[in-house]
Structure formats: structure tokens, C-alpha cells
Amino acid sequence: MRRKTRVTAVAAALGATLLTGSAMASATTSTSTSTSTSKPSVRPCGTENVSFYFGGYSYGLSHRSFDITLLAHDGITCTLSDTPLITLRTPPEETAKIPLTVNGRGGTLVLRPDSPLHATVAYSIPDLPENKVQVNGLTLAMPDGSSRGTSFLFPGTTEISKGGVLVTSWTTGIGGGEGEER
């Protein structure tokens, strides 16, 4: 009889402990939820909030690439999509549309002065004249609706393969950006 009573008492104590623990976890969850909703939201990035750099140019027999780096100005913290919002411009005489593939994971990134973001623009050069298209500009749009246009790495027109351009998703960390584009 005593053994059965002890087992019942231990089971009751264990049940009370589990209920108390789940009630505490529930209270902790509701407390953390209410504090996280009271935080101010970070504003979307705009062109006036960031510096824009080119760097990391590399080339092989037929492949070329360069990096675009964004760095938030001092005291600025802003958000943007992990998918670079890049478009290409062509000279008026170019009639072919340039295929553009932009990678991303569908998330939102926070840009800070101590954490630059980098994307790589990769393309191939044409192997035959009939495989070429011309590009002369690149525009980077920002979440706040502002945009900044610049040349496609080098001033003037660049001949690339009809295969188009690939832009990687933004990655974080210190990079090799050179010369700010304004």
C-alpha cells in the first residue's frame, strides 16, 4: 500500500512541476512577444543612406565578374531585401533584351556601417559576333523607391554574351570594394 501511495505522490508532484513549468514558459513567451512588438522598426534603405562601391573584378577566358558593395553611412541602420534590385541599361542601338537572373532567399537584411553587403555580377563575353549584346548601365533600386544608376563597371559600352547576367544574393562581411560610385 505504501509503495502505491508513494508512486501516486511522486506522479502528482511531477505533474504539478510540469504544469508550473509550462505556465512559466507560456508567461515568458507572452512577455517576450509583447516586448518585441514594442521595438521600433528599422526603416527601409534609400540611396541617401548608403555608399555604393565596385570591386573584385575578375576575368577568365570567357567569364567576367565584379562585386557591388553597399555600406551604410555612419549612424544609419536600414533594411533591404536579400535579392539585389538591379536592372541593366542598353544603348539605343541595342534591340535585344538582356536576360537577367537575380538570386535571393526571400529574406530581409539589415544594413549597418560595420556590416557591408556584397553581390557579385557575373557574365560571359561573346564567342561570336552574333552572340553579343551590349550593356552600358546598371541601376540599383532601393526599398524606399530611390535608385542610383551608374555604368556597367566601366564607362562606355560592354559587349556580353546573349546568355545574360547573373547577380548573386547579398552576402555580408568585409569585402574589397574600390572607389565609390555617386
Side-chain angles (χ1 to χ4, degrees):
M1 256 337 226
R2 266 190 180 163
R3 183 178 172 112
K4 197 172 196 182
T5 306
R6 265 194 218 150
V7 170
T8 305
V10 169
L14 184 58
T17 304
L18 290 175
L19 284 174
T20 304
S22 82
M24 288 175 66
S26 173
T28 304
T29 303
S30 65
T31 303
S32 65
T33 303
S34 64
T35 55
S36 68
T37 56
S38 65
K39 287 183 183 177
S41 63
V42 178
R43 69 177 177 223
C45 292
T47 55
E48 74 281 352
N49 304 129
V50 300
S51 295
F52 179 77
Y53 299 90
F54 282 134
Y57 179 67
S58 69
Y59 58 94
L61 290 176
S62 64
H63 297 286
R64 307 282 188 268
S65 68
F66 60 90
D67 294 331
I68 297 173
T69 299
L70 293 182
L71 181 63
H73 295 163
D74 286 342
I76 299 290
T77 299
C78 58
T79 61
L80 69 160
S81 165
D82 72 348
T83 305
L85 302 172
I86 291 177
T87 55
L88 302 175
R89 289 190 319 270
T90 59
E93 64 272 10
E94 181 61 63
T95 57
K97 183 172 170 63
I98 300 173
L100 177 64
T101 304
V102 183
N103 288 341
R105 295 169 297 280
T108 300
L109 300 171
V110 177
L111 181 61
R112 295 181 178 87
D114 62 348
S115 182
L117 297 174
H118 312 280
T120 300
V121 177
Y123 58 98
S124 296
I125 58 169
D127 51 354
L128 299 170
E130 59 268 14
N131 292 334
K132 75 173 182 170
V133 291
Q134 296 180 335
V135 60
N136 67 352
L138 176 145
T139 301
L140 177 64
M142 299 304 269
D144 74 345
S146 61
S147 63
R148 181 179 294 165
T150 185
S151 55
F152 186 79
L153 184 60
F154 301 114
T157 300
T158 302
E159 292 182 352
I160 66 171
S161 172
K162 284 183 179 180
V165 175
L166 167 71
V167 181
T168 65
S169 56
W170 293 114
T171 58
T172 60
I174 303 298
E178 303 163 6
E180 180 179 358
E181 288 294 315
R182 294 181 191 243

